[in-house]
Amino acid sequence: MSIVRTLASLAQSGALSGKRVFIRSDLNVPLDASGEITEDTRIRASVPAIRMALDAGASVMVASHLGRPKEGTVSASDTLAPVAARLSKLLGIPVSLVPDWVGGVQLEPGQVVLLENCRCNVGEKKNDEALSRKMAALCDVYVNDAFGTAHRAEATTHGMARFAPIACAGPLLEVELLALGRALENPKRPMVAIVGGSKVSTKVSILLSLADKVDQLVVGGGIANTFMLAAGLKVGKSLAEPDQVERARAVIDLMKKRGAAVPIPVDVVCAKSFGPEARGSVKAADQVADDDMILDIGPQTTKHLADILRRAGTIVWNGPVGVFELEAFAKGTEGVAQAVAESAAFSIAGGGDTLAAIAKFHIADKVDYISTGGGAFLEFLEGKALPAVEVLVQRAK
């Protein structure tokens, strides 16, 4: 992990007593049609940083985005009011919502407030310098605890860190960087990556990057179909990208040169249509008909992948290997999930679909680290610099 200042070290040194602390959290939670929070993992994950600052004698401002609001206005669907209510319950103290906060915030040591949706401020997404300086002036200490937005250079994720008197990483960001660093910087071998998803084109850079690092690169979903095409197999009317076949071959060749492998499915689960009523049939990978849709990997392939995962030293998982939301096509992803759970490897998982699969198959307590980031997780795996992290590294020098 790159060296950054941490909230924990500041709290332990007594440097937060009487200080105004600004925490950029990721409280972007799903809401139903009536504005009720349907899943609060991100809010609960933000609590340790807030408690740490409060216990150290600071006054605390918490900021986050919610959804994709239009800058300059706060509509009913943009407000963090439901989050403030949930945060109050979790902390056991009142958390008031401050609507217009850029010009100044009144609060006392031991008090915590939630600042209204930061992406409603004009200039937030463009990382406007004037806005960043104005917001940085609100605090003595700036804390980034929002790994999920670390790949974005915005005013509250990057600009404020440049201009605040002190800038540091919160405990959630700190543990993300430690876990990801452990998985990628000095991994225990063999290292296996699972990359699922619909399109090679959206993940070609991560596939090429991982092909240079891992011992086995397991592909799933529509990505696997394109790799099957690259291996000379037919995929019928399955989701695939024929124009990405050469890129898929480049990944296979890169792995081969290193003595590594991309396991191509030997059997698949096909259907003639897509939907809850669809019935799956297992076929050998070279027996897919022109009107077949491949919606999952077959039992032989699942067993082969499970054997690979059980022998792994490090597992990085991003994406399911089939349409696991439909029971007829969930066996492949379930088998992979159980193999990850049973493996003695250090395992790290990230991405929305992956987290949904982990929840569905009840293995959360068997995965060593579950990342809170989607895009940031992928970009870290690619080896890209994350702007919100890089600025903290620069400030620590």
Side-chain angles (χ1 to χ4, degrees), residues 147-233:
F147 178 75
T149 63
H151 59 310
R152 302 188 186 281
E154 298 179 349
T156 58
T157 64
H158 182 269
M160 283 187 72
R162 289 175 60 201
F163 304 118
I166 295 172
C168 66
L172 184 60
L173 180 61
E174 182 185 359
V175 76
E176 287 271 5
L177 296 175
L178 285 168
L180 289 166
R182 178 179 169 186
L184 295 180
E185 287 166 19
N186 189 25
K188 185 180 177 186
R189 299 285 177 174
M191 182 179 183
V192 181
I194 308 162
V195 180
S198 58
K199 295 182 177 181
V200 168
S201 55
T202 59
K203 292 190 176 178
V204 67
S205 55
I206 187 175
L207 290 168
L208 287 167
S209 176
L210 289 172
D212 203 33
K213 298 184 178 90
V214 303
D215 302 295
Q216 298 271 358
L217 179 56
V218 174
V219 290
I223 292 175
N225 298 338
T226 302
F227 273 77
M228 287 176 68
L229 284 177
L233 295 163

Side-chain angles (χ1 to χ4, degrees), residues 359-383:
K360 177 170 182 170
F361 302 120
H362 310 291
I363 63 159
D365 59 335
K366 303 284 177 50
V367 178
D368 289 296
Y369 191 76
I370 298 174
S371 175
T372 57
F377 178 74
L378 283 174
E379 293 200 11
F380 194 102
L381 295 186
E382 281 182 51

Side-chain angles (χ1 to χ4, degrees), residues 69-318:
K70 182 181 177 183
E71 287 189 356
T73 60
V74 182
S75 70
S77 61
D78 302 327
T79 182
L80 285 167
V83 177
R86 183 64 57 89
L87 207 48
S88 295
K89 285 184 181 176
L90 291 170
L91 288 168
I93 56 174
V95 178
S96 58
L97 182 68
V98 182
D100 299 307
W101 52 271
V102 175
V105 180
Q106 296 294 320
L107 75 167
E108 302 295 327
Q111 189 180 359
V112 56
V113 297
L114 181 62
L115 310 178
E116 188 56 280
N117 196 330
C118 61
R119 282 196 187 155
C120 293
N121 294 319
V122 177
E124 166 67 18
K125 291 188 76 173
K126 289 185 176 178
N127 198 18
D128 180 77
E129 182 170 326
L131 177 66
S132 298
R133 286 182 180 276
K134 202 169 185 181
M135 293 192 296
L138 298 172
C139 66
D140 301 301
V141 178
Y142 166 84
V143 184
N144 192 323
D145 204 37
F147 178 75
T149 63
H151 59 310
R152 302 188 186 281
E154 298 179 349
T156 58
T157 64
H158 182 269
M160 283 187 72
R162 289 175 60 201
F163 304 118
I166 295 172
C168 66
L172 184 60
L173 180 61
E174 182 185 359
V175 76
E176 287 271 5
L177 296 175
L178 285 168
L180 289 166
R182 178 179 169 186
L184 295 180
E185 287 166 19
N186 189 25
K188 185 180 177 186
R189 299 285 177 174
M191 182 179 183
V192 181
I194 308 162
V195 180
S198 58
K199 295 182 177 181
V200 168
S201 55
T202 59
K203 292 190 176 178
V204 67
S205 55
I206 187 175
L207 290 168
L208 287 167
S209 176
L210 289 172
D212 203 33
K213 298 184 178 90
V214 303
D215 302 295
Q216 298 271 358
L217 179 56
V218 174
V219 290
I223 292 175
N225 298 338
T226 302
F227 273 77
M228 287 176 68
L229 284 177
L233 295 163
K234 293 181 179 179
V235 298
K237 58 178 184 177
S238 309
L239 176 64
E241 294 177 289
D243 62 325
Q244 296 294 319
V245 163
E246 287 307 313
R247 284 180 164 181
R249 284 196 184 120
V251 171
I252 293 169
D253 291 345
L254 184 57
M255 293 284 284
K256 270 185 184 172
K257 283 176 187 173
R258 295 180 47 246
V262 181
I264 303 297
V266 295
D267 61 344
V268 291
V269 181
C270 298
K272 302 298 183 184
S273 62
F274 178 83
E277 307 304 317
R279 293 190 176 186
S281 60
V282 177
K283 293 191 173 187
D286 60 0
Q287 297 298 311
V288 176
D290 290 343
D291 62 344
D292 276 334
M293 298 174 71
I294 300 169
L295 299 176
D296 196 11
I297 55 174
Q300 286 184 58
T301 303
T302 303
K303 183 180 183 303
H304 177 55
L305 296 184
D307 289 342
I308 289 171
L309 292 166
R310 289 192 186 99
R311 292 194 301 268
T314 304
I315 298 170
V316 177
W317 182 14
N318 177 259

